[in-house]
Amino acid sequence: MSHQAPPTLGNQYEDDRMLRSYLSRVCPTDVLREIEPSLIEMGRLAGSELYQMQLDDRLNEPTLTQWDAWGNRIDRIEVTHLWLKAERIAAEHGVVATAYEQKHGSLSRVHQCALAYLFTPSTDIYSCPLAMTDGAARTLISSGNQLLIDRAVPHLITREPSKFWTAGQWMTELTGGSDVGLSETVARKDQTLADTFYLFGRKWFTSAVSAQIALTLARPEGNPPGGRGLALFYVETRDEQGRLQNIEINRLKDKLGTRKVPTAELTLNGTPARLVYGTTDGVRNITPLLNITRLWNGISSVALMHRGLALAFDYAKKRVAFGAPLSEKPLHMDTLLGLQVETEAAFHLAFFVAELNGKSEAGEISENDVQLLRVLTPIMKLTTAKQAVMVASEVLESFGGAGYIEDTGLPGLLRDSQVLPIWEGTTNVLALDTFRALGIHTTSESKGEKRLEVLLWQFKLWFESIRNPLLIHAGQTAMSALAHASRWLLEGNNLEAGARRFAITLGRTVELALLVRHAQWSEDHEADGAATASAHRFARSGIDMVIDQPSA
Ligand SMILES: Cc1cc2nc3c(=O)[nH]c(=O)nc-3n(C[C@H](O)[C@H](O)[C@H](O)COP(=O)(O)OP(=O)(O)OC[C@H]3O[C@@H](n4cnc5c(N)ncnc54)[C@H](O)[C@@H]3O)c2cc1C
């Protein structure tokens, strides 16, 4: 009797040409030699036991038990087996810690992102609590609040599973996740203890509510409305006896995807909290956290894209149609290669932002790179998230009917990807943030200023050593899209309405420029033309989305 052969995975590091080629370019040989064993091991885990466990654990979901048998409110969350295992592996393998141990200076962040990239697709979005843990560590360190740094950071960045804490990020309220300045949670000051407050309010989306700590926003009594009147607080969710500290978990959300993540609605009934940094400007002060979670979002996007393709390419070798495996059908392979090119483009953008973060954290960042990091963080997040959804959808189609069937594990790829453009700032919200990062106001007075110079300067630097005519041509496509975006800004018509097209154009343009640079390196150092073929194809895959106002 015939049957369908399922796709299988090998070592997810060893099989990943894109990651290995990139690391060979950015890491000096001795650094690569030192970090590779950790990546090979994570690649092995991700392609074998974690992936198998993920398939076996498919139907398990977190549970909330609100009452015990004797009528006590307990609000106990139990997470899945894979999540428990993922927590231990994440700590032991330093999926957060590597960035803070700074063994390889600015490349520590690249190393950590490579671990996260390999770990993420086999661990049921355990990346969510890790992203917030990493973001909380970075925020506390940047706050300079020594008491909180001493208390929490060693737990957030430890490799010892029994000491490891994760963090939540409680921002979104019923009044809005984008317009967070409307938040209604009130902070009442303790009359005797400095910096101690009690929080009262409802938090509408709190992922990974199993975390030991959270960073959250609340309005100290008497503060003005709006984002400036909010302050950033540190909360320990449980007391010494393990009881929730005046927090009620009202319910877990019933979600399209990320179903292994316990995302809860909370009521805070006098939850003790400490000020992190000042009694105002909470929205500004939580930015370091958002920058890190947005980086994780980009890394997760490329990780899920790559996983989908690893499965699709393997399946294409096994599935026979019209007398030959799909891998011998030019149209099927062209379809997959198109997705591969999107994935490579997204990969280079996400990892470039990782490099910039690494430089910043190691204190080695230039003024130009500070600007690039600010501008590219929202652009990278919004661009890669959209690519992830598109690629996941196509990957499912590439499996035919099997892609739509739950126990193949494939539909989860699409459902989980769909959250990437929503959380950590929606596409539109980040498109408007891109304007802020570039100092563009949607009113007319900023017309005419040269806001894209930082990118122009960077492209020129990258393109200096390009010699292959195909790559020169692809580079010109990037330059001309950038010039068009610049002209559109100068004209200044209806900027707000065009913000998304503008930001996606910049995202795809930077992706193309990065592909071009990498491709020339790959030709020169690896004698490999595959990256050139990718750059050439990406240049013809819709880079410039900016639409001019029709002239009257
Ligand atoms: C699975 C999941 C887990 C989550 N976990 C957390 C968590 O742990 N912590 C947390 O704080 N939040 C969390 N969120 C919430 C998430 O961050 C918000 O849903 C998101 O920021 C959007 O906010 P909102 O839902 O209030 O939508 P809204 O802000 O109401 O936005 C609705 C729509 O309007 C658009 N929009 C808003 N403003 C503008 C504008 N000025 N111009 C143009 N368009 C605009 C948005 O792009 C969006 O499409 C989670 C969400 C999900 C789905």
Side-chain angles (χ1 to χ4, degrees):
M1 227 175 16
S2 49
H3 68 285
Q4 282 177 286
T8 48
L9 296 174
N11 183 308
Q12 289 299 280
Y13 174 70
E14 288 171 347
D15 290 353
D16 193 333
R17 175 186 64 77
M18 173 175 73
L19 174 62
R20 297 182 66 178
S21 171
Y22 164 76
L23 290 175
S24 300
R25 177 169 61 77
V26 298
C27 297
T29 322
D30 56 330
V31 172
L32 189 55
R33 204 173 30 242
E34 279 174 42
I35 69 174
E36 257 198 331
S38 66
L39 299 173
I40 291 170
E41 177 56 9
M42 187 59 84
R44 185 192 67 74
L45 282 168
S48 57
E49 58 194 78
L50 287 175
Y51 176 55
Q52 192 51 50
M53 195 168 170
Q54 188 179 40
L55 291 175
D56 296 343
D57 206 38
R58 189 178 58 81
L59 294 175
N60 287 327
E61 293 193 354
T63 56
L64 165 64
T65 306
Q66 286 175 310
W67 305 95
D68 74 4
W70 312 104
N72 299 302
R73 184 86 192 234
I74 51 170
D75 288 353
R76 190 177 63 230
I77 300 276
E78 275 170 89
V79 297
T80 63
H81 301 311
L82 178 53
W83 260 49
L84 292 173
K85 184 162 178 141
E87 177 175 282
R88 188 172 55 68
I89 288 177
E92 284 173 353
H93 291 255
V95 180
V96 173
T98 302
Y100 295 86
E101 290 162 350
Q102 287 286 307
K103 285 202 184 124
H104 302 104
S106 66
L107 288 170
S108 304
R109 182 54 81 177
V110 170
H111 179 197
Q112 179 256 339
C113 283
L115 286 169
Y117 164 84
L118 294 167
F119 171 88
T120 292
S122 296
T123 44
D124 283 346
I125 315 296
Y126 193 74
S127 51
C128 167
L130 294 182
M132 296 188 289
T133 303
D134 191 347
R138 176 59 43 215
T139 308
L140 292 176
I141 291 169
S142 341
S143 76
N145 185 328
Q146 205 51 48
L147 192 132
L148 295 182
I149 294 173
D150 293 345
R151 168 104 187 131
V153 173
H155 289 287
L156 302 174
I157 64 171
T158 182
R159 283 180 183 251
E160 170 53 58
S162 63
K163 299 195 176 125
F164 185 50
W165 286 0
T166 56
Q169 155 198 344
W170 303 346
M171 294 178 71
T172 307
E173 300 194 3
L174 272 153
T175 44
S178 309
D179 191 1
V180 85
L182 297 174
S183 295
E184 292 173 332
T185 298
V186 170
R188 253 173 232 153
K189 190 162 177 1
D190 188 292
Q191 294 311 315
T192 49
L193 298 170
D195 286 354
T196 301
F197 285 73
Y198 300 96
L199 309 186
F200 297 85
R202 278 171 84 187
K203 295 291 174 183
W204 189 234
F205 277 91
T206 60
S207 283
V209 72
S210 45
Q212 285 81 357
I213 68 159
L215 295 187
T216 189
L217 299 175
R219 195 175 312 279
E221 277 181 319
N223 269 20
R228 290 214 55 203
L230 293 169
L232 176 59
F233 287 94
Y234 166 90
V235 168
E236 287 188 8
T237 52
R238 292 176 187 272
D239 63 15
E240 309 257 289
Q241 283 73 47
R243 290 173 305 218
L244 282 168
Q245 303 217 70
N246 303 335
I247 299 169
E248 283 184 358
I249 304 180
N250 302 326
R251 61 175 167 169
L252 296 184
K253 300 273 196 196
D254 185 7
K255 296 175 288 178
L256 169 70
T258 68
R259 291 188 67 89
K260 311 296 178 130
V261 181
T263 303
E265 296 167 16
L266 303 181
T267 300
L268 310 180
N269 278 324
T271 306
R274 292 189 70 89
L275 280 174
V276 175
Y277 186 66
T279 52
T280 57
D281 293 305
V283 176
R284 194 181 66 202
N285 293 335
I286 205 167
T287 308
L289 191 154
L290 296 178
N291 288 340
I292 293 293
T293 52
R294 286 170 185 168
L295 171 62
W296 272 83
N297 209 85
I299 298 294
S300 301
S301 297
V302 289
L304 292 180
M305 286 187 249
H306 180 262
R307 168 57 52 86
L309 281 172
L311 294 169
F313 276 115
D314 184 69
Y315 188 66
K317 286 190 235 146
K318 296 170 173 166
R319 179 69 166 165
V320 173
F322 301 100
L326 291 171
S327 57
E328 291 172 22
K329 301 287 180 194
L331 176 55
H332 189 75
M333 293 314 280
D334 184 82
T335 307
L336 294 188
L337 282 174
L339 305 180
Q340 171 71 30
V341 166
E342 289 291 324
T343 305
E344 284 179 36
F347 175 95
H348 284 288
L349 179 53
F351 272 85
F352 181 62
V353 173
E355 285 170 50
L356 294 172
N357 272 287
K359 286 184 189 171
S360 166
E361 290 160 359
E364 296 166 9
I365 192 160
S366 66
E367 232 171 81
N368 199 65
D369 283 351
V370 168
Q371 251 185 302
L372 267 184
L373 177 58
R374 171 68 185 98
V375 172
L376 290 185
T377 296
I379 289 177
M380 178 277 296
K381 193 276 185 185
L382 72 90
T383 309
T384 56
K386 283 294 187 201
Q387 288 171 304
V389 178
M390 184 278 285
V391 167
S393 171
E394 289 283 358
V395 160
L396 263 55
E397 186 180 336
S398 80
F399 281 87
Y404 206 67
I405 300 305
E406 290 292 353
D407 57 3
T408 61
L410 295 164
L413 277 174
L414 179 58
R415 283 199 298 261
D416 289 348
S417 297
Q418 184 61 67
V419 85
L420 296 164
I422 296 176
W423 65 12
E424 311 307 347
T426 61
T427 309
N428 284 355
V429 165
L430 292 178
L432 295 173
D433 189 48
T434 303
F435 275 178
R436 274 191 295 281
L438 288 165
I440 297 159
H441 305 280
T442 44
T443 51
S444 58
E445 69 266 23
S446 70
K447 272 195 225 176
E449 295 185 35
K450 295 175 181 167
R451 297 295 180 185
L452 298 182
E453 291 244 297
V454 62
L455 293 177
L456 188 63
W457 182 86
Q458 188 64 58
F459 283 17
K460 282 185 181 155
L461 198 70
W462 287 339
F463 294 162
E464 264 170 14
S465 54
I466 307 301
R467 295 180 314 283
N468 180 319
L470 276 183
L471 294 176
I472 290 173
H473 195 250
Q476 283 162 352
T477 304
M479 281 299 211
S480 94
L482 193 62
H484 185 204
S486 206
R487 278 199 308 281
W488 176 79
L489 274 185
L490 289 176
E491 281 158 20
N493 293 321
N494 227 350
L495 291 187
E496 189 167 338
R500 176 195 277 245
R501 286 188 291 273
F502 171 76
I504 291 180
T505 299
L506 293 190
R508 294 183 73 77
T509 305
V510 178
E511 286 182 346
L512 177 56
L514 286 162
L515 275 177
V516 166
R517 177 183 60 154
H518 184 74
Q520 186 67 61
W521 177 89
S522 181
E523 285 198 6
D524 295 346
H525 296 84
E526 301 177 316
D528 188 348
T532 297
S534 296
H536 174 66
R537 178 156 179 173
F538 191 69
R540 281 152 187 76
S541 305
I543 302 298
D544 185 350
M545 306 285 168
V546 169
I547 300 177
D548 296 311
Q549 269 310 81
S551 42

